[in-house]
Amino acid sequence: MSKASDDKMLDNLQHDTFQYFLHESNPRNGLVKDKTAPHWPASIAAVGLALAAYPVGVECGYLSRADAVQRTLATLRFFHDSPQGTQSDATGYKGFYYHFLDMDTGRRVWNCELSTIDSTFLLAGGLTAAAYFTGNAEGEREIRDLADALYRRADWVWAQHGGKTVTHGWTPEKGFIPYRWEGYDEALLLYVLGLGSPTHALSADSYPAWAATYVWKHIYGIEFLYAGPLFIHQLSHIWLDLRDIQDAPMRAKDSNYFENSRRATRAQQEYSIRNPQDYTGYSEQCWGVTASDGPGPTNRKIDGVERTFYDYLARGVPFGPDDGTISPWAVVSSLPFAPDIVIPTIAYFDRMELRIDNPYGFKATYNPTYPVKTSNKYGWVSPWHFGINQGPIVLMIENYRSGMLWDLMRACGYIRDGLRRADFQGGWLAQADQEHAAPRAQPAEGDGR
């Protein structure tokens, strides 16, 4: 394919994927559906991704600036004014929010947890909006004020629950969830935001405690900080420009998190080339294993082999679990790291029948190994789109093309403070420090300033 055809392919995919946030949201409160199933609730992570995607939509001409301001204000006003407290049907507590909310009322559903990581993505979306809408119009000023107030309200110290690391969450019925964010995972962004807080900052020992249980592996001749699901190597990178800046673990390995994600992406492709479990379709241009929807749960004997298939699960390679389910969105989200192998794979997916009658681009997952009667020669296809899949496609295509999200977040003082307190050094962060420390030029005598 030529560069022009590649660009057109990415244009179409980004445009169609973005439509999810226009049509699967409630304009009155800004809530965004977790997935397209009937009567499904909102996901606060999907809301955060929508807030980050609206500026991209403006720049790409998918919606007007005025419409984006209106949508953003509706969202931020709702979360700012929604009930915070210990009641079981509140929207949040201590500046954090419940994972799933009713699309109309905005109240907690399913007795779900107050989620620290999903609240992180919501707050990051608000900070993106504040960094983009810098105009003097009343609506844009209000966006900045609301996003700042929401971020300052989050009580990260409370979320530590007396420990060094941050808990996964809390419920009014049982209190804090016993699991904590420890070891390499999607919580890199969580710790940066928590450390950057001017009001309830995480303790200085929280980040070293999180990183203390890192596991480095050497797989297929590639050494990298290991996490099996591909999304772990991607989600924090939507907002954090981690090229050429290093924390202590990365300095010790003479690497950085961007390079680490590039290596993890290549390891994913190599796993599919080798295809050790002999799943149908895995190849150099067909890969992408991550947390995703699936055809299970069930066991089926296929060609004499007993196979287990899962429903929604954090799949990972090469150590599993893996059931032959491929996630196109996870490949697209690695575009900035390894475009040379990602673009041909996107083109492969684009030639498939996965986009027929799909208004929002690629469906979440498919599994050609799973035995199902279908006219689609590629086998089982998820019937749904998921907001948390749609956002990374839109945003990582944009980071690949223009670095827009990275540019916006590098200008956010909270992000810079959080990175510094996590002991990141070098690269653009060092340059920002130098620019901040440089004395301002004094006006010459008689200058009139």
Side-chain angles (χ1 to χ4, degrees), residues 70-332:
Q70 184 176 9
R71 287 172 175 273
T72 302
L73 278 175
T75 308
L76 297 179
R77 285 168 178 166
F78 167 75
F79 281 98
H80 184 268
D81 298 336
S82 59
Q84 287 261 321
T86 58
Q87 60 268 41
S88 62
D89 67 340
T91 298
Y93 182 51
K94 294 288 186 177
F96 297 96
Y97 296 90
Y98 288 102
H99 193 163
F100 299 108
L101 302 174
D102 183 274
M103 282 290 293
D104 294 320
T105 67
R107 299 298 185 100
R108 177 195 187 204
V109 298
W110 296 342
N111 287 329
C112 65
E113 82 285 9
L114 191 85
S115 172
T116 53
I117 190 63
D118 293 282
S119 294
T120 293
F121 298 138
L122 174 64
L123 296 174
L127 292 177
T128 306
Y132 179 76
F133 292 108
T134 58
N136 290 323
E138 182 178 352
E140 300 202 14
R141 291 199 306 270
E142 186 180 356
I143 285 173
R144 297 195 294 274
D145 290 343
L146 288 171
D148 193 67
L150 288 170
Y151 175 64
R152 287 171 173 265
R153 186 163 68 182
D155 191 341
W156 301 94
V157 178
W158 171 81
Q160 288 181 275
H161 186 45
K164 293 181 180 180
T165 53
V166 176
T167 61
H168 280 201
W170 176 90
T171 68
E173 294 83 11
K174 297 182 179 180
F176 284 97
I177 294 172
Y179 306 107
R180 290 177 174 270
W181 294 107
E182 296 173 340
Y184 185 54
D185 48 42
E186 66 271 32
L188 174 56
L189 178 65
L190 179 152
Y191 281 95
V192 170
L193 288 189
L195 287 165
S197 172
T199 50
H200 308 286
L202 290 173
S203 56
D205 57 1
S206 62
Y207 190 87
W210 173 68
T213 48
Y214 275 8
V215 176
W216 293 79
K217 291 188 179 292
H218 199 87
I219 301 171
Y220 309 136
I222 304 169
E223 184 182 24
F224 63 106
L225 177 56
Y226 179 75
L230 199 48
F231 80 94
I232 288 175
H233 299 281
Q234 299 165 336
L235 292 187
S236 292
H237 291 261
I238 292 173
W239 288 277
L240 301 179
D241 182 1
L242 297 168
R243 297 171 295 180
D244 301 323
I245 65 173
Q246 299 172 311
D247 60 1
M250 284 297 168
R251 285 194 294 274
K253 290 288 186 176
D254 193 25
S255 186
N256 60 69
Y257 288 98
F258 186 92
E259 170 63 20
N260 194 75
S261 293
R262 185 187 70 82
R263 295 180 186 183
T265 300
R266 294 190 177 279
Q268 279 256 346
Q269 184 198 44
E270 183 62 28
Y271 172 84
S272 286
I273 292 171
R274 299 188 183 209
N275 195 9
Q277 300 190 58
D278 197 27
Y279 286 118
T280 302
Y282 280 25
S283 69
E284 182 180 12
Q285 293 187 350
C286 181
W287 50 275
V289 178
T290 193
S292 65
D293 193 20
T298 186
N299 293 314
R300 298 289 181 90
K301 182 171 283 189
I302 304 171
D303 297 330
V305 178
E306 188 74 25
R307 296 193 181 275
T308 299
F309 296 94
Y310 308 99
D311 52 5
Y312 202 99
L313 186 72
R315 295 164 171 81
V317 301
F319 306 115
D322 179 25
D323 63 355
T325 300
I326 295 293
S327 301
W329 75 271
V331 174
V332 184

